[in-house]
Amino acid sequence: MSRVLSGAGTGIGTLMLSCLAVAGAGEAGAIEGEPRKVAALPARLIDAATPLKVDGVLDEDAWQTAREFDTFHEFLPNSGKDAPAALRTTVRLLIDDGALVFGIRAWDATPELMRGSLARRDKVGTDQDFIGIWLDPTGHGRAAQFVRVNIAGVLSDGIYRADEDESDLGPDFPIDAAVRRLADGYTMEVRWPLSNLRFPYADGKTWRVMIERSVPHAGGLLLTSTPLTTDTIGHIGVMQDIDGMGGTVAAVRDRSFLELRPELTLRANSDADGAGRHRANQGSVGLEINARPRADMVFNATLNPDFSQVEIDEPTSSGASRIALSLPEKRGFFLESADVLGLPLAAFYSRTVADPEWGLRGTWRAAEADATAMSLRDQAGGVVLRGGPYETAEYDQTRRTLSSLLRARWHGDGALLGAFASRRDYGDAGANQVFGLDGQWRGDGQQAAWLLMHSQTSAGFVDAPAAATLRVPARNGAYLSGKYTQLSEDWWNELKLEAVGPGFVNDNGFVPQTGIVKADINLNRRLGPHRLGFADTAFQAYEMEAHLGLHEIRTLSDAFSGQPGKQIVERKLQPGIWFRAARQTDFWANLGFDQQRGRREGPLHDVPALHFGLESSPLPWLARIKSEVTLGKQLDVDADRVGRGGNAVLEVALRFALPRGWAMELDQRVNRAWVQGTLGRPAFVDNGWRWLGMLHFTPADSLRLLAQNTSAARRDDGVSGLEPWADRQMHRSLLYRHLWRHGRSLSVGFARDRTRAPDTVGKSLTVKFQWEM
């Protein structure tokens, strides 16, 4: 067994901020006591022969005759107000033979203050002037595809899932966009192909849309075409109907689309360790196939893909914890049907598939039901995680496996019922299979969700003397979770209960702890706007909340491992406060009256601490600064002792516009976790540092330099007698990338990785060519 330092969790304060940042409004969102009706966005269907060039200039005749929508509202920082007259925004929508085309005109009285320069895709945030478009072609209000385009033409796109209230930036849609800056603002055209919008074949609900506009230099304004407030669950709870689509859906639903995306990867490796130097050259050819025979069916296949990440994962500190943490998915194959899959992290975690030989998946969407099925043949060499009450065991995957999943859902008005089956087959070494049922219900300001799973496992692992996978007697296990959320003008409250049986295993999912019962209660009292401080130093808080978080984990009795039941693993009582101020500034602080147990036989330790965080976008060149800090008593799990310590993370994003239209991005991240010993120095330290520099020459050409160090060490703490140790890992890489158009790119990169204790050095030169047909 070993510790797994694989990602960053979400603290209570962060959860509170993210929920408020994406909360949306109902159709009757109350504004000064009066309900506001959400007007439809008019659309005009144009003939296929009508010329329409996406160049950012709205000068074609079709634009002049299209109906205009210009009713925008302020969402941030003060939701419910009408948009300022000086920031008038208008939208026109045309539907041509194969796409939705949006034409936006944005006025600005101080255009010299507008922010926006070349940046990486999916890095368009509220520190930049942008237009966002959210589309829900199913009309269910459970998911939406979205794109944000800044005034330099850079895109962020992805899928938003309302059930988990989160945005996934993994998918990249073939959207064409162009922007023209003017003396009093800008104009923008966005063309969204119908081939990349997923909708039912017949009897579907009205398509829905929401337009947003970010104006950071005007106090961090975020304007929307619907009157969003923070008293309704979900960013897409209510959107505008698209009016005037006519027979567009019927006209395009039978059109078939086929995309072939071959890729060629050439890699030269050089590895050096105590046994000498080893060189290897390798080449691989991969292929992705995306087929849509008609609107409600999509089929995907991947053959021998190169799943190496474009960017390595950020370094994170987990302190002395033995509990694994999850990482977001970045590989497009797994993101096609993320909205249909719609399962909590525990049910399906795509990173369990490390290096597939091939993969197949199909997705079907109807007006009141949808389903997806997937199967992948994974090669040996991955990692399998198996949880326990106090730690996550990590095993080498020594067998080729077949991972399969089937998911189906039924949609009703305000309700959803789903079922799924999952299997990880290790051949003659056994298998793990999981069956589950889930459901959701939504009412006025309320949402409830539940999930029930049952597993049977006959595949086991051993670490020594050599890693192996072997068949073991089958064992059953169960998983149950439920969550209730209540949101109003005065309160945002959430209750979550989770029970994970000792024998529950989901090798296609993410289950870092088993044999436990977990309860979380978050109570948040909304206090409205306040002026904070004294006299001349006072400042305006646009929103303010008082918070109380309660959290407890207890063990379940397990005769198989000898684990006694009702043992407290972790208990937290955290009152706190949160507020939002100017310059997109969020601040939160919690007092932690917490307790933790490090091992089965160990005592329950008191670990009081102060938790606080700050996020802001203060200057045009200082796009974002974010910090999360914990200070106080910390549990050193391996030593089973408590010492003074903490956990701190600092992220800084810098953006610079350069001559000739070039741009520079500089992102830094530093994190540190530590526990003091009794000899005047830290007994345990875990550090990470990451520096990323991006030089953009054109929207199609960029150069990236990435440097990352991670290190951890244990010293004599004067008490436990544990053996001192230290390890360190370093990564350096340089990558040039040229993009012809969506799906066609050439990348050339050099990387150097070094580890110490043991001392090894690895170098690689990679050339990757991707094409779309």
Side-chain angles (χ1 to χ4, degrees):
M1 296 183 181
S2 62
R3 292 182 297 116
V4 180
L5 306 177
S6 58
T10 302
I12 293 177
T14 305
L15 176 65
M16 178 168 62
L17 298 182
S18 63
C19 180
L20 288 172
V22 297
E27 186 167 331
I31 298 179
E32 298 180 351
E34 294 294 330
R36 262 183 175 163
K37 183 179 180 180
V38 181
L41 179 67
R44 181 182 172 220
L45 182 64
I46 62 176
D47 187 83
T50 302
L52 199 62
K53 183 180 180 181
V54 179
D55 56 4
V57 182
L58 308 178
D59 56 355
E60 290 91 349
D61 291 341
W63 290 121
Q64 311 312 313
T65 56
R67 292 170 58 195
E68 180 181 88
F69 177 89
D70 65 353
T71 305
F72 277 74
H73 315 273
E74 181 178 332
F75 176 47
L76 295 177
N78 290 313
S79 65
K81 293 185 176 181
D82 290 331
L87 296 171
R88 183 177 177 231
T89 309
T90 65
V91 183
R92 292 178 171 89
L93 175 57
L94 300 176
I95 306 174
D96 67 13
D97 188 50
L100 303 179
V101 187
F102 295 84
I104 295 98
R105 174 67 163 97
W107 280 265
D108 197 317
T110 55
E112 69 279 2
L113 299 180
M114 294 191 306
R115 304 181 191 177
S117 59
L118 295 177
R120 287 168 287 166
R121 186 166 185 142
D122 294 334
K123 293 298 181 180
V124 177
T126 52
D127 61 294
Q128 304 163 50
D129 283 82
F130 69 73
I131 295 294
I133 301 172
W134 298 68
L135 281 170
D136 177 12
T138 68
H140 288 302
R142 300 192 179 279
Q145 297 171 247
F146 66 88
V147 63
R148 286 173 166 174
V149 185
N150 77 357
I151 58 174
V154 180
L155 277 64
S156 282
D157 52 357
I159 294 176
Y160 170 81
R161 286 177 48 210
D163 56 348
E164 294 297 318
D165 200 16
E166 63 183 15
S167 297
D168 192 333
L169 295 172
D172 288 337
F173 306 121
I175 295 171
D176 292 324
V179 185
R180 182 66 58 94
R181 296 187 65 163
L182 306 173
D184 59 352
Y186 60 90
T187 56
M188 179 183 296
E189 287 179 292
V190 180
R191 186 179 191 275
W192 199 320
L194 292 168
S195 62
N196 276 265
L197 295 173
R198 311 304 187 215
F199 52 93
Y201 184 79
D203 303 322
K205 296 186 177 183
T206 303
W207 289 29
R208 305 162 78 206
V209 66
M210 181 181 70
I211 313 297
E212 61 180 349
R213 178 186 176 187
S214 171
V215 194
H217 64 274
L221 279 179
L222 186 64
L223 308 176
T224 59
S225 59
T226 56
L228 296 185
T229 64
T230 56
D231 59 358
T232 299
I233 298 171
H235 192 55
I236 58 171
V238 164
M239 300 165 71
Q240 300 168 264
D241 290 345
I242 299 180
D243 183 28
M245 292 188 66
T248 301
V249 173
V252 301
R253 65 185 182 181
D254 287 305
R255 292 183 185 171
S256 61
F257 300 93
L258 176 64
E259 295 176 344
L260 302 178
R261 296 179 182 176
E263 65 179 29
L264 171 65
T265 304
L266 303 175
R267 185 174 288 117
N269 296 316
S270 174
D271 299 303
D273 54 23
R277 184 178 298 275
H278 314 278
R279 299 180 185 273
N281 298 323
Q282 61 185 43
S284 66
V285 176
L287 177 66
E288 286 197 15
I289 304 171
N290 300 319
R292 197 193 84 169
R294 66 183 207 180
D296 58 339
M297 297 181 182
V298 179
F299 298 95
N300 312 100
T302 183
L303 302 174
N304 193 34
D306 176 33
F307 272 176
S308 58
Q309 301 296 339
V310 176
E311 296 179 14
I312 65 175
D313 298 315
E314 294 181 349
T316 56
S317 294
S318 67
S321 173
R322 293 192 182 122
I323 305 301
L325 301 172
S326 65
L327 291 167
E329 180 55 80
K330 302 178 182 180
R331 301 169 295 184
F333 175 83
F334 297 103
L335 300 170
E336 164 63 40
S337 305
D339 57 324
V340 178
L341 192 58
L343 289 166
L345 183 64
F348 178 68
Y349 181 54
S350 55
R351 279 181 176 260
T352 62
V353 178
D355 187 13
E357 300 174 7
W358 55 263
L360 299 171
R361 79 179 302 166
T363 304
W364 167 75
R365 293 173 174 86
E368 295 184 350
D370 51 38
T372 187
M374 177 174 57
S375 188
L376 299 101
R377 171 65 73 182
D378 197 18
Q379 301 183 72
V383 174
V384 178
L385 304 179
R386 296 274 178 96
Y390 294 98
E391 60 189 355
T392 309
E394 175 184 304
Y395 301 101
D396 292 330
Q397 180 183 306
T398 60
R399 300 284 192 116
R400 293 168 71 239
T401 64
L402 184 65
S403 297
S404 302
L405 179 78
L406 175 62
R407 164 69 160 160
R409 302 188 304 178
W410 169 82
H411 302 270
D413 292 334
L416 178 147
L417 292 175
F420 73 96
S422 169
R423 180 179 174 88
R424 188 83 169 216
D425 195 331
Y426 296 87
D428 60 5
N432 165 243
Q433 50 196 15
V434 181
F435 303 93
L437 297 171
D438 64 293
Q440 296 175 21
W441 169 83
R442 279 188 194 171
D444 184 16
Q446 302 178 78
Q447 177 174 287
W450 57 270
L451 172 64
L452 173 64
M453 293 188 284
H454 176 271
S455 74
Q456 185 178 75
T457 307
S458 58
F461 299 89
V462 293
D463 282 331
T469 308
L470 70 164
R471 182 179 290 274
V472 296
R475 191 180 185 198
N476 297 319
Y479 174 99
L480 175 64
S481 71
K483 183 170 71 172
Y484 172 75
T485 304
Q486 181 262 334
L487 195 61
S488 68
E489 293 183 358
D490 299 321
W491 291 92
W492 170 71
N493 303 318
E494 184 176 83
L495 167 65
K496 184 176 181 180
L497 300 174
E498 187 177 20
V500 192
F504 182 76
V505 174
N506 186 2
D507 287 343
N508 283 335
F510 183 79
V511 191
Q513 286 179 279
T514 60
I516 59 166
V517 175
K518 183 190 300 185
D520 288 281
I521 301 175
N522 288 291
L523 306 175
N524 300 278
R525 180 66 167 92
R526 295 183 166 179
L527 304 175
H530 278 73
R531 191 160 183 82
L532 305 176
F534 303 95
D536 296 337
T537 62
F539 67 94
Q540 181 66 39
Y542 299 117
E543 290 189 55
M544 191 169 178
E545 288 193 358
H547 166 75
L548 177 63
L550 304 170
H551 167 87
E552 184 163 306
I553 300 177
R554 288 182 178 245
T555 62
L556 294 170
S557 177
D558 180 20
F560 183 83
S561 65
Q563 170 66 52
K566 299 181 181 180
Q567 195 175 68
I568 296 174
V569 178
E570 187 174 68
R571 174 183 285 164
K572 294 181 179 180
L573 172 63
Q574 295 190 355
I577 195 165
W578 167 90
F579 64 79
R580 173 176 291 126
R583 300 183 184 272
Q584 302 172 32
T585 300
D586 292 324
F587 175 82
W588 62 269
N590 294 335
L591 287 174
F593 302 97
D594 305 336
Q595 294 177 301
Q596 280 184 278
R597 192 187 309 272
R599 60 185 62 173
R600 181 190 307 173
E601 301 83 5
L604 184 64
H605 300 279
D606 291 320
V607 285
L610 171 65
H611 311 267
F612 59 93
L614 172 71
E615 184 171 3
S616 183
S617 179
L619 299 166
W621 56 270
L622 183 54
R624 179 171 174 262
I625 181 169
K626 179 180 179 181
S627 180
E628 295 188 29
V629 179
T630 294
L631 297 173
K633 297 290 187 178
Q634 297 289 294
L635 174 62
D636 186 338
V637 175
D638 289 336
D640 199 20
R641 58 170 294 273
V642 171
R644 289 182 297 107
N647 198 326
V649 179
L650 175 64
E651 299 178 8
V652 179
L654 308 176
R655 304 288 184 264
F656 301 100
L658 303 176
R660 301 176 59 182
W662 292 13
M664 174 72 77
E665 294 180 89
L666 299 175
D667 287 353
Q668 297 85 31
R669 177 188 172 99
V670 180
N671 47 255
R672 176 179 173 85
W674 73 98
V675 182
Q676 288 291 123
T678 61
L679 303 178
R681 62 184 183 183
F684 174 83
V685 291
D686 183 5
N687 299 320
W689 166 78
R690 183 179 191 258
W691 184 92
L692 178 114
M694 290 283 295
L695 178 61
H696 300 273
F697 308 106
T698 71
D701 295 274
S702 62
L703 186 66
R704 187 201 75 194
L705 177 62
L706 178 64
Q708 174 171 304
N709 287 0
T710 58
S711 63
R714 176 170 298 283
R715 303 186 183 96
D716 182 10
D717 56 24
V719 179
S720 66
L722 292 177
E723 191 72 23
W725 56 265
D727 62 49
R728 186 179 184 186
Q729 298 181 347
M730 293 168 284
H731 172 89
R732 305 289 185 269
S733 63
L734 184 66
L735 175 71
Y736 168 76
R737 188 167 186 258
H738 175 75
L739 178 68
W740 283 279
R741 60 181 298 273
H742 179 80
R744 301 181 182 183
S745 64
L746 173 66
S747 302
V748 181
F750 174 78
R752 183 179 187 271
D753 292 277
R754 181 175 183 179
T755 63
R756 291 181 174 171
D759 198 13
T760 62
V761 177
K763 301 177 183 178
S764 66
L765 176 65
T766 303
V767 178
K768 189 170 184 176
F769 182 64
Q770 296 173 297
W771 193 258
E772 180 180 271
M773 297 182 291

